[in-house]
Amino acid sequence: MAETPFFPAWAALEAAVEQHRAGIDQHPALPTTTTEEIREHLSTNYKFGIPVDAKHLIEDVASLLRDGMVHTTHARYFGLFNPDIQPIAVAADAIVAAFNPQLAAYSHAPGPNEIERHTLDLFRRALALPEGGSATFTSGGSEANHSALIAALTAKVSDYAETGASGRPTMYASAEAHHSLVKMAHACGIGRRAVRVVPVDANLAMDPAAFRRIVTDDRAAGASPFMVVGTAGTTSAGAIDPLPAIAGIAAEEGLWFHVDAAWGGAACLSSRLRPLLDGIERADSVTIDAHKWLSVPMGCGMFFCRDAAHTSAAFGIQTAYMPSPVEAPDPYLNTLQWSRRHIGLKLFMTLAALGLGEVTARIEHMADVADRLAFGLRAAGWRVVHHSPLAVVTFTHPEVVDLDSVLQHVYREGGAWISKTVLTGHGAALRACVTNHRTSAADADALVEILERAVDQVPRTELIEPTPLAD
Ligand SMILES: *Cc1c(COP(=O)(O)O)cnc(C)c1O
């Protein structure tokens, strides 16, 4: 080591991270400070006048985060799609920050760009997409969906690239699809109403017959259908749209077929779960979020496009100031971002350090724990509304009208975190997702007990016995 280390406070950083990780599962899963307390602390201690000592700063920030966030890495965080993380992925993010490679132009960072290509190709093959496409890391699923929309509009709507949307381009997604699609339709200038909502069946999966009918009606009414999004693992319930049927209709109707597999896409690595994604290989483009089910820190999304010509048509540009193109494609000419962080290193290092066998075993373990949870909930009198093979369980209680009061009891106890959602055709439901590979069968059983305690404390309706028919 050099005489003067680059960062003398490494030891403080290491101590803060080790201490946090050692205590995480015993710590409340929810924030313990109030917004007023946090603001007061910041305005008193951080006027940015006198420099703060790095060791002190690290310790103070660690304490602010420890008390001021929902702990997504907690073993009893049955939450939104936020996983626990790997130590090696933390190391990866630190190396990226320290070396600060710029991936925009290939020639600026051949090493990092090849690491990303190599990693993305593993997923391309698992998805069974052909060679000759393009793939990129994104900030997350929203950017990947945005990329899909731009590529689809450029490919399917004439003049979109040069003069913007004309006519009435319309796209199709199920009632349970992610709302980033609506934001991105707005951002792309086709308007939020361009997203046509296709009804779902009782299993919360898109109804393909309804999809076809709406496309026909829209054409008759003068709209220009250009894209359909199938979701493989909906955000609320982990439902899977019928991808082969949607692919078939998309082909007949000449629509771009995007699969949003932000959460569920990780299942492509498991031979047991991969059949759930059948039909994804027919997609024109695919979204997968590594920062959801693959245990890497945010943000780490992936966008795959079947034909690289479409991404270069969507994102190509000419400049005088960027380095001249070399033999490999320049990311800034084929993707939405310009300056580009080495996002993919944390996934590469996680796969390398754990091995594919372990990564896959963890995904299957999380699905198994969710199965156990669904079983335990049913045994305790809950009604499971939807039980996804992708580790998401949504449920209600026949005697509880106000699910919010159950949620408040769970939060007040503080030892676990779940959420609430509304499912098309079913109404409000509680939602538990196993996102942490350390979450065990015992944690699932503990959640059932926490929920039973909560139910004991909230107002309940009598179960109404069906009245016998008078004769
Ligand atoms: C989370 C999610 C997204 C958005 O991804 P971000 O990484 O949060 O931007 C898109 N689609 C689905 C199905 C999701 O679950």
Side-chain angles (χ1 to χ4, degrees), residues 81 140-143 145 178 180 231 233-235 260 262-263 289 291-292:
F81 293 146
S142 297
E143 184 194 328
N145 283 346
H178 194 267
S180 56
T231 307
T234 57
T235 311
D260 183 356
W263 166 256
D289 253 347
H291 69 211
K292 283 190 170 166

Side-chain angles (χ1 to χ4, degrees), residues 307-321:
D307 183 347
H310 289 307
T311 41
S312 71
F315 302 110
I317 198 83
Q318 287 192 330
T319 74
Y321 43 80

